[in-house]
Amino acid sequence: MFTNNEIIETIDMLDNRHLDVRTVTLSLSLVDCIDSSVGKCCDKVYEKITRVCKRLVPVCESLSKRFGVEIVNKRIAVTPISIIGASCGGYTELCKTLDRAGRELGVDFIGGYSALVHKSATAAENAFLDTLPQALSETEIVCGSVNVASSKTGINLDAVGKLGRVIKDLAYRTRDINSFGCGKLVVFCNAVDDNPFMAGAFTGISEGDCSVNVGVSGPGVVEYEINKHPDYDITSVCELIKRTAFKITRLGQLIGSAAAKELGLPCGIVDLSLAPTPAVGDSVARVLESIGLSRVGSCGTTAALALLNDAVKKGGVMAANRVGGLSGAFIPVSEDAGMIDAVRAGALNIEKLEAMTAVCSVGLDMIAVPGDTSAAVISAMIADECAIGMINNKTTAVRIVPVYGKTVGDEVDFGGLFGTAPIMAVNGGDPSAFIARGGVVPPPIHANKN
C-alpha cells in the first residue's frame, strides 16, 4: 500500500518536477525480411513494421491519459540494416522504407540504420557505411549507429577513420539545417542490444522477435530532492538518490508492463537513465550542482557524476523486472540546459566532458564543433571515447555535429528536445597520421577471460 504522502509526492513529481517516461520503444527483429531482391526485402520490412507496430502510438497515448504520465517519444528499433540488406544491397532504399513506415505510424524516430563492425567489416558492411550520408540526409526520422569497438575485440581504426569522413559528408549534406543530420548518427564502443534511446537504438541479434522497452527520465525530481536536504553528507545524498531513482524506475516499469500487455507483446527492459531536456528544471548538470558544485565542469564534477550514476543504477535496479539499455546519467550538451550554460560560461570544455564519460552513461553526446573541424580530428575523438569504453568495459559513444559554416562563439538551435548548442573549441593538434595508420587497436589484456 502507498501512503498519502507517497501519492502526493508522486503527483508533485509529475506535475512540477518534469517526471516523464522519455520513450516507449518497440524493438522489432527484421531477420525474417531478408531477401535477395531489393524490392521484396523493402516490401517485407514495410509490411512487418506497419503490421506489428500499428498500435504503438495509440496505445501510448491511451496509457498517458490513463495514468496521467507524459510519454514523450514513441519509437521503433529494428535489426541493423547492414545485416538485413547484405544479400540485396539496397541499403538506401531500405532506409527510405523505414522512414516511410515510421512516418505513416506517427512515431517520433525509428532506429537501426546500423552496423556492427567492431572487429572488422565485410565488403557489404563497408558499402553500407558509404551510404550513411545520403541515407540519413534524405530521410526525416531514421537514426543510425555504428559499433566500431568493444572490450573483447579492440578498436577497428579503419572504421573509425571512415566514420570521420562520413560525419563530415553528412554535415555538409544537411548544412541547411545546421548539419543536424549528424545528430541522427552515433558511433559506439560496446553497443548494447536493447537500448531504447535514440539515436543509438537498434534491435540486437540476440533479441527476440519483438518486445517493448522503456526509457525513463527525471533529473528534475532528483535535483529537487537533493535541494531539500542541504545538510546531508555525501553518503546520505547517495541514499536519497537511490530512493528517488527507485520511484522513477517503478513508473517506467508500470508503463512498460501496461504497454506490453495492451500490445500483446513481451515486456523487455527498463533503461533507468536520467535523460535531460533543454527545459529549465530538467538538467543532469543542475543535479550535479545541487550536490555541491558551483558550476558543472569545475573540479569535483567527475566525482559527483560517478556517485550520481552509481546511485541511480543501485536504486533503479530493484524497481524493474529487467534493467537494460544504457542506464545511468546522460550528459548531452545541447539537450541539457545546465550543460549549455556551463559551456557558455567557459566552465565546461570537451576535455572535461571526455573525463566525465569515463563514469557516466554513453559519452560525448550532442556536441557541436566548428564546421571546419577535420575528419581526422573527429575520428580521433571517436577513438579516444572508444579507448575509454574498451579499457573500462563500458558503453561509450560519440554524437558530434561539425556545424557547416559555424565557429567557436556561434550557437545553433536544433529545436525541440535537441536544444541549443554552443560551438565548442576542439584541440588544435593534428592526429591525421595516427588515424591514417588504420588497422585494429588490440583489446586490453583483461579481455582474455576464457
Side-chain angles (χ1 to χ4, degrees), residues 170-239:
L170 184 53
Y172 179 78
R173 289 173 185 254
T174 56
R175 62 194 181 278
D176 57 330
I177 52 171
N178 292 320
S179 301
F180 181 68
C182 300
K184 299 195 297 172
L185 175 63
V186 181
V187 185
F188 276 115
C189 171
N190 291 323
V192 297
D193 285 354
D194 54 8
N195 169 24
F197 283 105
M198 299 296 172
F202 64 87
T203 297
I205 56 175
S206 67
E207 296 291 292
D209 191 57
C210 53
S211 62
V212 177
N213 298 325
V214 174
V216 297
S217 183
V221 177
V222 177
E223 178 193 359
Y224 176 73
E225 293 298 321
I226 295 173
N227 283 334
K228 287 198 302 185
H229 302 283
D231 57 327
Y232 275 15
D233 66 12
I234 283 296
T235 305
S236 299
V237 168
C238 290
E239 289 299 311

